[in-house]
Every structure is written in structure tokens, then in C-alpha cells.
Amino acid sequence: MLRNALLAAPFLFLSAIPNPSFAAGVINVATIGEPPTLDPMASTADVVGMTTQHIFETLFTFDAEWNVVPLLAEAMPTVSADGQTYDITLRKGIKFHDGSTMTSADVVASVERWVKIASRGKQIAPYFTSITAKGDDAVQIVLSKPYAPLLSLLAFNNSAAVIMPKANLADDPLTKFIGTGPYLLKERKADQYLQLTRFDGYQPRSEAANGFGGARKAILDEIRFVPVPDANTRLEGAISGQFDYADSLAPETFDRLKGSDASEPVVLKPYGAPVFVMNTKEGVLAKKEMRHAIQAALNPEDMLLAAFGNPEFFAVNGALYPEGYVWHTEEGIERYGNGDPETAASMAKEAGYDGEKPIRILTSRQYEFHYKMAQVAAEYLKAAGFKVELGVFDWATLTTRRADPKLWDIFITHGPFPPEPILNGWMSDSYPGWWATPAKTAAVEPFIAEPDQEKRKALWAEIQKTFYEEAPVYKVGDFNALGSKKKTLKDFQPSPWPYFWNVSTAN
């Protein structure tokens, strides 16, 4: 088994099997907004992964300690001595939501599409030679050279390598959203709800539930994901008991949640990092020296204070992984946390900036902490002599706009600390921001080819050093995420992408 995704300590999951006295029912989950798509391959947006993981499944997934474990695969693959051939046996008799049976032909077609269109699939594309069927219940993946993160990429639910019926893949974009998951798509009403109902033909694995792995039991009759862009509305709905789960709440609301009779706070500590992704392809920040000026101008502590208020919810930290993670290193972070507009102004002038072209920042109030950080960042950049345009959009629109390099210079996003560093969105050359340079390639190539975990740690330190030198992304710091769950929601296990199989309600 590949264990390169293992963190130094278990993260957020607890192994659990639902209480036998469970009750079926309907739950309402408040999300930050409308998913821009229901095609998991086509988007890295967390709201897409959070919702569609109930509909679609991957060959592998992660357990409670972030080890890769089988899901639609029968077992872990057999890997050749040279690390280039993976033989994967599939579970037999797995049904899609349309009643058809999953075969190797569906897996081959799905993985081929993933490699072609998904940002994470494109990461493997240069190393991907073929995937072929070996009978109805097995496939073989052949690489041109070893690629250590392959199984982690196949397991991730973000820009995910989900398995769909081959017949449905002819449509681009997808018109049918049919998977093998414990819940199926019943109805989607844009900006109102996404209605999922139990798939009675679902066949859970026999192992005990363990993180995303093991048995997934569809206990609830129905899950309704309700887009609620306003954080205060999500909060009031949580306090009143309208929502069984509410995602992404402001830290300053923690005490109000603690006092609620209906709901209770859910804190994920640590959750991840907010980041400012810079456009390295076109515009003002295509020049590295200009990105260095941005690094120098911004003050991370002020942005984190504005965003989260309570110091218990953030840490000023430039390392891409916090202490306690196997990937933690201090390499390169001397460029982090200067907050020096005067120096930044001098650097920008040397880089040829004349103050005419604006720095166009994309942000969204659906993640209120993004917006607050953007406001502080804008003031620091203005103090450094930059002209700034702040564009505030709903999250779905922002994810569409960031795909066009002509429309922006910085966009603000966030994500958890993934178990395998290659899963960071910006590690993909095709991720918006388009960090694809010879220096990046030189740092990344040895890392992805090396199977030895200890050697990979040292190679990751070189990648972080290159990250700071090339400045494709500004990491603001670390933060804890706050959500809420209704007290009647049973056996819910917090995670970066909340899931609702193995969950019941006492409503």
C-alpha cells in the first residue's frame, strides 16, 4: 500500500458505525452557494466535491489517517517493481443509479476522460500511457515513468476521478449525473436546492466505516443541499434549527452557536489555509518581480485578524503545512509576512510598474473571510502605490471568471491541508494562475518520481523554496473552520468535505 499520504497524526475523522437505533428522514444542509457544476471532474470548488461525493464514487478513497484505501476497487492495486504498471481489480456487481452494472469499460472511459479534462487528471497526463480493460472486472494503468502520487490523485474527491457509465460520457458538458454512490440526484432547482434521495441499489463495502473509507450506509431518506450565500442567514438558520448542518460560519458567531438550543458548533482544527492565487500567465503579475512586490506589501496578521477576529481561529504561519504534519518545513518562508508597503513600492517601481494598470482582485462574500481579507489587502496594496480594483462575485461566477486569464490578477480561495502535497490545486500547471515554469518542473519531477517517504520530505522542502521564490500564490496563514450541526443529527463525523452517509436524524 502506498502510505505517502499519511500525516504525522490522525486528522479529523473518527471511525464509527451508525447507532442501530437510527432513524431515516430528511436533512437540510446549508452550503455557501450554488455548485457551479455537478460534474466532479470539471471543478475544484469545495462545494462541488462536498455535494457530488454522495452521488459519485472513485476507485480509491482515504481512511481516517489519510491512507489510501479501496472504494470501487476490490483491493489495493498490484504495482510492478518499476512503479509503472498498476493492476486494479474492481468490485463485482456494482450498480449505477440507472440500474446498469459497472464494468471495466466504464472505468476505462471515466479515467480517460479525467486525464483529459480534470485539472488533477491533467497532472498525471504527461506520465499516463494507457488504461485498458482486463476482462470485465479489472483494469491496468500503465505509466511512462513512476508517479508516486497516482493513488492519492485517484482517491481525491476534488476534480475527482469518479466512475460514470461509459454511455453518458459522450455528452460534454455532462447532461446526466449518474454514479454509484449511496444517494442519487432526484432534482436540482437552481439557487433553491439540490435534492438527493437514497439509492436502494447501493452496495456498501463490508469493512467498518473509517474516514471516507469502509461501509457507506445510506440511512437518510433524503439530503437537501440548500445554497445560502449569506453567512448570517446560514447562522440564523442553524440557531433556529432550520438547517441540520451549516457550512462555513464566521468565528465570531461561535458563542451564539454554543448558546443555541437546536444546534452546536463544529470546529475543524486545523482546517487549512486561505490563499491569494496570482495570475502568472497574463497581466500585471505575470512578471515574477511584481509578485515579489505583492509578497512584501501584504501583512498576513492584519488580514487574519480581520477575517477571523478570534486568535484561537488562526495562526500566522508561512509554512505550507503546519507543525505536526510530515510535510512541514521552514524552507523559503523568509519572504512571508513582511507587510512593508514602502519596500513593496520600491520593488514594484524597479519591476516597471507605473501605477496605471490596476491589480484586479476577485473575491466573494459567500466566504465572508475571503472578502474581509480582500479589503485589508487592498489597503496595503494601495499604500504601496498599486491601483486596486476589488471585484465581488458569487462563488460560482468567480470560479467561472478565474478560468479566463484576461479578467483578473488575484483571486482568493482556501483549502484544507491535503494528505499528499501534489493535491494542492496550484500544483497543477492547468489550475487558474497557471504556474508552469522550468523551475517548478525541476523541483516537482524528482518529488513525484520518488516512492520513499523520507526522501520525499526533503524534496518537498525544495518545492516550498521554489514556491516562495516564484510566488505563484500568497499563503495568508492557517485557520480553523467553523460549521454547525443540529443536535438531532446522529453519528456525523466532521471532515473538510462534510458527508452524510452513515448519518441519521432523531427529528
Side-chain angles (χ1 to χ4, degrees):
M1 177 187 299
L2 285 183
R3 298 182 65 85
N4 62 320
L6 182 63
L7 301 183
F11 188 36
L12 301 166
F13 303 115
L14 298 174
S15 299
I17 298 176
N19 189 312
S21 63
F22 64 76
V26 178
I27 65 168
N28 293 294
V29 177
T31 65
I32 61 97
E34 181 77 9
T37 177
L38 294 184
D39 182 351
M41 294 187 190
S43 177
T44 59
D46 283 343
V47 69
V48 175
M50 174 183 173
T51 53
T52 62
Q53 66 185 338
H54 299 81
I55 303 170
F56 301 100
E57 294 180 314
T58 46
L59 292 172
F60 304 96
T61 190
F62 295 106
D63 71 8
E65 294 184 334
W66 292 109
N67 298 304
V68 176
V69 294
L71 184 55
L72 289 176
E74 179 63 34
M76 296 303 291
T78 300
V79 184
S80 63
D82 64 5
Q84 294 178 221
T85 302
Y86 291 69
D87 285 295
I88 302 170
T89 302
L90 307 175
R91 293 171 64 196
K92 296 178 176 63
I94 297 298
K95 296 293 184 182
F96 287 111
H97 298 157
D98 62 2
S100 63
T101 301
M102 181 189 77
T103 70
S104 56
D106 302 303
V107 174
V108 167
S110 295
V111 172
E112 286 179 338
R113 180 179 186 264
W114 175 71
V115 170
K116 181 180 178 181
I117 76 159
S119 64
R120 302 194 192 282
K122 289 176 182 178
Q123 288 177 258
I124 189 66
Y127 312 89
F128 183 83
T129 297
S130 64
I131 178 170
T132 54
K134 298 295 180 180
D136 286 341
D137 300 310
V139 297
Q140 183 179 81
I141 295 176
V142 178
L143 307 178
S144 59
K145 50 186 172 180
Y147 189 87
L150 173 62
L151 294 184
S152 291
L153 281 167
L154 289 173
F156 207 35
N157 73 345
N158 183 283
S159 187
V162 296
I163 306 305
M164 311 179 193
K166 178 180 178 180
N168 292 351
L169 299 179
D171 296 333
D172 191 17
L174 290 181
T175 57
K176 297 179 181 178
F177 302 96
I178 295 172
T180 60
Y183 289 88
L184 56 83
L185 177 62
K186 179 71 172 179
E187 185 178 18
R188 181 186 188 184
K189 288 196 172 183
D191 299 317
Q192 295 185 49
Y193 60 81
L194 181 68
Q195 181 187 19
L196 308 184
T197 56
R198 183 195 300 116
F199 174 40
D200 291 331
Y202 184 69
Q203 300 173 52
R205 294 190 67 90
S206 59
E207 303 94 334
N210 186 350
F212 288 100
R216 297 181 172 186
K217 297 185 179 180
I219 298 169
L220 298 166
D221 295 312
E222 183 178 317
I223 306 168
R224 288 198 177 199
F225 292 99
V226 184
V228 185
D230 182 72
N232 287 328
T233 305
R234 292 198 297 277
L235 172 68
E236 296 302 331
I239 290 173
S240 69
Q242 177 184 359
F243 301 129
D244 296 84
Y245 185 86
D247 198 28
S248 190
L249 301 175
E252 60 264 28
T253 65
F254 180 77
D255 288 338
R256 285 197 65 198
L257 279 172
K258 283 181 65 176
S260 170
D261 292 331
S263 296
E264 58 194 19
V266 176
V267 179
L268 289 82
K269 181 181 182 178
Y271 174 86
V275 293
F276 287 31
V277 181
M278 295 189 256
N279 186 346
T280 70
K281 190 174 187 178
E282 293 187 26
V284 179
L285 301 185
K287 187 182 291 187
K288 179 176 68 173
E289 291 74 14
M290 287 293 294
R291 301 195 298 274
H292 286 169
I294 300 294
Q295 284 178 325
L298 297 177
N299 184 306
E301 185 170 13
D302 282 357
M303 288 189 288
L304 290 165
L305 276 168
F308 302 107
N310 186 346
E312 293 295 318
F313 276 85
F314 70 85
V316 181
N317 175 31
L320 296 177
Y321 283 84
E323 290 186 26
Y325 286 74
V326 299
W327 305 111
H328 175 73
T329 174
E330 300 288 322
E331 283 291 333
I333 65 171
E334 57 272 8
R335 287 190 179 275
Y336 170 78
N338 292 326
D340 186 346
E342 185 175 339
T343 297
S346 177
M347 294 170 69
K349 185 176 180 180
E350 288 180 15
Y353 182 68
D354 59 8
E356 292 298 317
K357 292 185 178 179
I359 305 294
R360 299 161 298 171
I361 301 175
L362 303 183
T363 190
S364 173
R365 298 202 71 162
Q366 286 168 252
Y367 293 111
E368 186 68 14
F369 68 98
H370 289 192
Y371 176 69
K372 291 177 178 177
M373 287 189 296
Q375 289 181 305
V376 174
E379 294 308 310
Y380 270 92
L381 293 175
K382 289 173 185 176
F386 290 102
K387 186 178 180 180
V388 180
E389 289 182 2
L390 198 60
V392 183
F393 302 94
D394 65 85
W395 188 245
T397 300
L398 187 151
T399 60
T400 300
R401 289 181 68 85
R402 74 183 184 186
D404 186 343
K406 299 184 183 304
L407 298 179
W408 62 277
D409 300 294
I410 293 172
F411 77 84
I412 302 175
T413 187
H414 70 275
F417 302 112
E420 158 60 51
I422 208 73
L423 298 174
N424 285 288
W426 43 265
M427 285 290 283
S428 171
D429 291 356
S430 64
Y431 183 76
W434 303 281
W435 181 34
T437 64
K440 177 187 180 183
T441 300
V444 170
E445 285 283 345
F447 178 74
I448 59 181
E450 178 56 61
D452 183 86
Q453 179 75 343
E454 290 303 312
K455 292 178 181 178
R456 295 188 87 223
K457 290 180 189 177
L459 292 168
W460 170 248
E462 287 301 309
I463 293 176
Q464 181 172 293
K465 184 177 179 180
T466 304
F467 171 93
Y468 269 100
E469 170 58 29
E470 299 234 309
V473 175
Y474 182 92
K475 182 197 172 187
V476 183
D478 304 336
F479 79 105
N480 306 330
L482 177 65
S484 74
K485 81 168 193 70
K486 203 170 179 179
K487 293 178 180 179
T488 51
L489 196 65
K490 302 300 182 183
D491 299 308
F492 172 79
Q493 303 299 321
S495 83
W497 301 276
Y499 56 87
F500 300 96
W501 56 80
N502 297 343
V503 169
S504 61
T505 178
N507 288 340

